[in-house]
Amino acid sequence: MRIVAFNGSPRAAEGNTEVLLQAFLAGARAEGAETEVNYLATKDIAHCTGCFSCWTKTPGECVHRDDMPDLLLRVRSADVAVLAFPLYGNMVPGLMKDFIDRTFPLGHPAIKKIAGQYVHPARYADGKLRSVVISNAGFPETHHFDGLKATFRQSGDNPHAELLGMICCAGGPLLRTPDAAGKIRWYLDATQDAGREVVRNGRITPTTQAILDRSLASDPGEYAGWVNDYWRREGVVMPDEEEGAGYRVSSDPGQSLVDRGESTVRDLLARLASAFSADRGGDLRATIQFEVSDEKPGLYFLAIGSGRCSAHEGRASTADLTIRTPADVWLKVCAGELDGAAAFVSGQYQVVGDTALLMRFGTLFGGA
Ligand SMILES: Cc1cc2nc3c(=O)[nH]c(=O)nc-3n(C[C@H](O)[C@H](O)[C@H](O)COP(=O)(O)O)c2cc1C
């Protein structure tokens, strides 16, 4: 069996779509299929102009001189075509839409009633175009694919076509996240099974399809936190947070960092964030989690990225460095009343993760 895939992600082989596509093709190859991938982002594909020349003046041939004639031959050579793409605006990305539009020459202009409905007969006697759809979305809920699935089901409801299954993966950005590798294995395994089944049984079985219809992000709230932390590290300011600080300083914002007074670790971290030196931080991207115990316990984190630092309440989804400290210890360290290194060695606070980051505090928050 010859399986020809068309990857319509603008990120081509670097994208999340590719992870699913490769898993599917690996499964198909394990059953003896021959596979090929065409990256649409690397091809020259002009928009269809709607001139109908491919139906009239030059039947089967488009007016454009680009990579589509070659791609159409590849479509025609496939026993199964795989359309793989990220979800864009609840639909296919423009690249994939141009590709689909430009398959127009494969149809004949006549409309003919076949198997109870009017269709354009196929121009060539290639047999049915069997296809599998592979997509992935940034949102964690599967309902974002509802419109897309309905569209492809309709395209597959045609005597010349057959849709063998759809792999629509919500929470797609997890596919290339090293930390998530263990958590997403089940989805990649099912995607591989789907590849095997298409070769062996001619379709994705209902059991595998049911697994693939689940979201990769089992906890949408946790996933949203992870995504937002990512954007923070990219220097994005969240809509409900002020520039440079995730929350406001509750006491006098002008208060010196080293003036402990009535200060809290919460306020101190907001001041640290504003004292962050963009020059010294360079291209550092990091999340520093504080687990504060003592009379004013709390969870806070500093998000550093794109030359900015912001302070946030709560637990970050991932942290490069975690500092577990009684409030008083950390306030004393920052006020210079307690030697940070000595306090660490004597176990007055604990550190997990990238301790080199801790060593850079003096430089990163130089003003403080
Ligand atoms: C222009 C654009 C539109 C997008 N629209 C959606 C959308 O409607 N729904 C969604 O869940 N994700 C949307 N996303 C997110 C992508 O589907 C997601 O990042 C996906 O993992 C990208 O796959 P890729 O790396 O293979 O390109 C959009 C991304 C871009 C750049």
Side-chain angles (χ1 to χ4, degrees):
M1 179 182 280
R2 178 168 156 76
I3 301 190
V4 182
F6 301 90
N7 182 333
S9 165
R11 301 172 67 206
E14 306 301 317
N16 299 321
T17 304
E18 178 75 356
V19 180
L20 293 172
L21 177 58
Q22 288 303 335
F24 178 85
L25 296 179
R29 280 193 299 270
E31 288 293 322
E34 172 201 339
T35 66
E36 167 187 307
V37 183
N38 297 279
Y39 298 98
L40 301 186
T42 68
K43 305 288 179 192
D44 177 21
I45 304 174
H47 304 301
C48 170
T49 57
C51 69
F52 290 96
S53 290
C54 64
W55 277 5
T56 54
K57 292 184 200 145
T58 52
E61 204 179 299
C62 179
V63 291
H64 291 303
R65 295 287 169 263
D66 57 12
D67 289 332
M68 258 330 268
D70 173 63
L71 291 171
L72 286 183
L73 287 177
R74 290 169 192 280
V75 171
R76 293 183 55 201
S77 75
D79 295 305
V80 174
V82 180
L83 300 185
F85 51 86
L87 192 70
Y88 270 21
N90 300 321
M91 293 174 263
V92 296
L95 264 179
M96 182 53 82
K97 186 64 170 66
D98 277 335
F99 172 75
I100 293 171
D101 290 350
R102 293 283 308 282
T103 59
F104 214 50
L106 297 182
H108 187 281
I111 53 170
K112 199 173 162 192
K113 197 165 190 177
I114 303 176
Q117 61 172 324
Y118 284 97
V119 295
H120 291 298
R123 180 175 297 281
Y124 306 101
D126 293 334
K128 277 191 177 189
L129 178 62
R130 295 188 167 78
S131 64
V132 171
V133 167
I134 296 182
S135 187
N136 89 98
F139 281 118
E141 308 104 320
T142 54
H143 70 77
H144 292 277
F145 291 109
D146 287 354
L148 184 94
K149 285 181 175 173
T151 300
F152 277 98
R153 266 191 212 109
Q154 188 168 9
S155 303
D157 178 21
N158 181 313
H160 304 303
E162 189 182 353
L163 185 60
L164 309 180
M166 287 188 269
I167 300 170
C168 292
C169 175
L174 289 169
L175 290 164
R176 275 200 190 269
T177 302
D179 287 352
K183 288 188 190 164
I184 63 157
R185 195 63 248 170
W186 63 274
Y187 200 93
L188 293 182
D189 287 346
T191 305
Q192 267 197 34
D193 288 345
R196 280 196 197 92
E197 291 166 4
V198 162
V199 181
R200 215 168 39 212
N201 313 332
R203 59 187 290 246
I204 300 177
T205 61
T207 312
T208 302
Q209 187 64 65
I211 299 172
L212 294 169
D213 288 344
R214 284 161 51 197
S215 173
L216 209 49
S218 52
D219 180 340
E222 187 190 0
Y223 174 83
W226 172 77
V227 170
N228 291 339
D229 285 352
Y230 169 83
W231 291 123
R232 282 189 188 103
R233 281 198 295 278
E234 291 292 307
V236 174
V237 178
M238 292 293 124
D240 52 345
E241 295 166 357
E242 63 180 309
E243 176 97 23
Y247 55 76
R248 290 172 186 283
V249 180
S250 56
S251 55
D252 173 15
Q255 187 184 357
S256 159
L257 259 171
V258 294
D259 171 15
R260 227 161 30 93
E262 289 301 302
S263 190
T264 61
V265 172
R266 183 183 185 282
D267 288 357
L268 180 104
L269 293 179
R271 290 199 188 87
L272 268 185
S274 32
F276 178 74
S277 161
D279 288 346
R280 292 177 193 163
D283 57 4
L284 176 68
R285 279 190 199 150
T287 303
I288 305 169
Q289 178 75 53
F290 288 81
E291 297 177 5
V292 181
S293 53
D294 231 4
E295 67 268 24
K296 282 182 179 159
L299 288 172
Y300 311 98
F301 64 95
L302 295 175
I304 300 172
S306 298
R308 292 189 213 143
C309 177
S310 52
H312 306 268
E313 284 183 276
R315 185 176 290 287
S317 55
T318 54
D320 303 281
L321 170 70
T322 300
I323 298 172
R324 298 194 178 112
T325 179
D328 201 45
V329 169
W330 196 253
L331 290 170
K332 277 182 179 162
V333 168
C334 289
E337 295 169 20
L338 190 61
D339 178 65
F344 174 60
V345 172
S346 62
Q348 294 187 62
Y349 67 94
Q350 284 85 43
V351 169
V352 179
D354 183 3
T355 43
L357 200 52
L358 184 64
M359 302 304 154
R360 290 180 69 185
F361 263 45
T363 320
L364 294 174
F365 308 102

